[in-house]
Amino acid sequence: LVASMETVEETYIMIKPDGLQRGLVGEVISRFEKKGFLLKGLKLFQCPKELAEEHYKDLKSKNFFPKLIDYITSGPVVCMVWEGVGVVASARKLIGSTNPLQAEPGTIRGDLAVQTGRNVVHGSDSPENGQREIALWFKEGEVCQWTPTVGPWLR
Ligand code: RTP
């Protein structure tokens, strides 16, 4: 096997309240599984306002910030940690553009969403933010370190 040039990374992926309520949890998880990434953390969670504000702190000055916080805290979200070679950028590609109308068909948002303010899923935008967000959403011990026994085909 030729080893990949990319490094193994972790990213924080979150199914937003609309994704959960529309019954898209299996669909979203399935896309990451089929791609070949490794699920290391998974939980259903009602996000407190303070955590949503911390998560999206870089967007605090935006006019849509209050609406965004209301949206993210409107019901439970599904929090996930996915590991893999180049997973941060690849997950962003699988998710598609922020505005679902501009997202390519074949992406999660391109296939499953219409509105920017209801765009189903979040993915970290850098490995550094991935680590920051994992630490924010998961407690110590909630993220599993494990290796599948099927072989190193995708890693
Ligand atoms: P995310 O962080 O959720 O993965 O989204 P993103 O990087 O694609 O987009 P970002 O610019 O970081 O915005 C975060 C989320 O805020 C909502 N948003 N609403 N004009 C608007 O009403 C507006 N713009 C952004 C979206 O839910 C977006 O995913």
Side-chain angles (χ1 to χ4, degrees):
L1 272 180
V2 178
S4 169
M5 301 294 284
E6 304 274 344
T7 49
V8 175
E9 306 168 337
E10 292 174 334
T11 192
Y12 176 66
I13 303 294
M14 175 168 70
I15 303 173
K16 298 177 181 181
D18 54 326
L20 177 65
Q21 286 167 43
R22 291 176 56 202
L24 299 175
V25 173
E27 170 82 32
V28 171
I29 291 178
S30 184
R31 290 178 182 224
F32 285 89
E33 281 188 318
K34 286 177 190 164
K35 177 71 176 168
F37 295 130
L38 186 76
L39 184 61
K40 294 178 75 179
L42 174 67
K43 67 177 179 186
L44 198 66
F45 182 63
Q46 173 61 55
C47 172
K49 195 168 181 231
E50 300 69 41
L51 177 57
E53 287 173 347
E54 179 62 25
H55 175 82
Y56 282 122
K57 66 178 182 191
D58 290 350
L59 301 174
K60 211 157 196 164
S61 62
K62 303 281 186 191
N63 62 337
F64 60 81
F65 187 76
K67 271 190 176 173
L68 174 59
I69 300 306
D70 284 350
Y71 164 44
I72 294 301
T73 58
S74 65
V77 293
V78 179
C79 309
M80 295 179 277
V81 178
W82 288 91
E83 182 189 86
V85 164
V87 69
V88 174
S90 179
R92 299 276 293 183
K93 279 195 175 178
L94 291 175
I95 290 168
S97 301
T98 307
N99 180 347
L101 293 180
Q102 268 141 41
E104 292 294 327
T107 65
I108 293 167
R109 288 169 176 163
D111 289 347
L112 306 172
V114 176
Q115 295 182 61
T116 300
R118 300 283 184 265
N119 60 4
V120 179
V121 59
H122 161 81
S124 308
D125 62 8
S126 67
E128 295 71 32
N129 267 334
Q131 291 307 303
R132 178 183 82 89
E133 292 169 3
I134 291 165
L136 213 50
W137 291 87
F138 285 90
K139 292 183 198 140
E140 191 118 4
E142 286 183 337
V143 180
C144 288
Q145 304 298 332
W146 68 289
T147 310
T149 51
V150 290
W153 307 115
L154 301 161
R155 297 158 59 79

